[in-house]
Amino acid sequence: MEHTDDEMAEHIKYMKRAIELSKKGIGYTNPNPLVGAVIVKDGKIIGEGYHEKIGHNHAEINALGSCNADVSGGTMYVTLEPCSHYGKTPPCANAIVKSKISKVVIGMIDPNPQVAGNGIKILEENNIEVISGVCEEEIRELNRIFIKYITTKKPYCILKSAMTLDGKIASITGDSKWISNDESRKYVHEIRHRVSAIMVGIGTVLIDNPRLTTRLENKEVMNPIKVIVDSTCRISVESNVIRGEGHTIVATTEDAPSDKVEQLIKHGVTVIKVAKKNSRVDLRELVNKLGKMGIDSILLEGGSSLNYSALESDIVDEVITFIAPKIIGGKEAKTPIGGSGVAYIKDAFRINDIRIETFGTDIMIRGYL
């Protein structure tokens, strides 16, 4: 069915509102998608909702429940195809049919194999007009974590680093506080709030003793699970990542002393034994195991060795780099990516779809592998 420019402009307007609503769920819905819904009748919004938290009502149900008028004959705008299966909640497609809504405008078809067009099929079989693909690119970008995880059962991995203009992550003495500015660090905490887990190597824990928590003002934050890559279990039970709030996973190998493993378990740590690759934890096997544990996304905030291993293991989906207008020099000062490196430029890890933003005087470059 052809739609006029005015009709499409109206669809985009209300879908944009649904997208804004969906963003309110960031950090609370993992591993579920971010979904917003708006109900319109006679040119007015009569109901709105979004998926607020994992296990709670979906956006469509919240929108229907918020309505201040009869919804029959109205139009629902929803960022993701209504579900058609019983999960933690009943199918939303059935609830929409029951409401007597006459039209549903969908942002993107659900990539979940359990849905994938079945929700639309239910609506159309009940004589509800369906329009799909409105603002789809923006919605796919917003739900890139969900799309990767629901289709592969592997976590979406973001490699984040901060460096000086001359490419250093610390001075020759190891001092790294702070290379990036307050605005950049606040944004990193927004990312921590969004993801399920944060991963660092044991070197970072021994040198910096970080907390790896999420710290944002005026917001109920979600602390990511802390994943420490430690092939021989050198971590101290007195370290902040173990003594502090939130759950910690130590990923190790058969080289870890059994008594140390037992000690960590007694302190509430989950210990995962992973195969070795080049005498270190096999990161590809590790992320597969984390995915099976329900972890849909990981922020890699490790040092240069872990960063190179992550790239070499082909687990990185997205790269975020902050560049601060500072020069510290030092031939031996560390760079964001260590390891052996590639031998030829043609073998370099290529970053695509580059986006550039500024945070005060810092420049952030992000892209996808």
Side-chain angles (χ1 to χ4, degrees), residues 146-163:
F146 169 71
I147 293 169
K148 163 83 183 283
Y149 185 68
I150 201 67
T151 56
T152 67
K153 292 303 177 189
K154 296 177 183 178
Y156 185 92
C157 295
I158 304 168
L159 191 160
K160 167 262 165 184
S161 61
M163 66 181 187

Side-chain angles (χ1 to χ4, degrees), residues 217 253 293 336:
E217 293 181 7
T253 68
M293 294 170 65

Side-chain angles (χ1 to χ4, degrees), residues 77-88:
Y77 293 84
V78 60
T79 57
L80 188 71
E81 175 186 2
C83 62
S84 56
H85 66 291
Y86 282 88
K88 288 184 169 63

Side-chain angles (χ1 to χ4, degrees), residues 231-232 253 255 276-281:
S231 57
T232 57
T253 68
D255 293 339
K276 288 189 291 185
K277 183 178 180 182
N278 300 325
S279 301
R280 298 172 181 266
V281 168

Side-chain angles (χ1 to χ4, degrees), residues 192-214:
R192 287 186 181 185
H193 172 70
R194 170 77 189 271
V195 299
S196 293
I198 181 169
M199 183 187 292
V200 300
I202 182 59
T204 298
V205 174
L206 295 177
I207 295 168
D208 297 335
N209 194 21
R211 288 183 286 168
L212 302 184
T213 53
T214 304

Side-chain angles (χ1 to χ4, degrees), residues 31-32 85 88 111-114 144-157 284-298 317:
N32 281 1
H85 66 291
K88 288 184 169 63
N112 184 348
Q114 289 185 290
R144 60 194 183 280
I145 289 174
F146 169 71
I147 293 169
K148 163 83 183 283
Y149 185 68
I150 201 67
T151 56
T152 67
K153 292 303 177 189
K154 296 177 183 178
Y156 185 92
C157 295
R284 188 176 295 187
E285 182 182 324
L286 172 59
V287 296
N288 287 344
K289 287 190 174 187
L290 294 174
K292 289 175 182 176
M293 294 170 65
I295 292 174
D296 70 343
S297 48
I298 299 168
D317 296 287

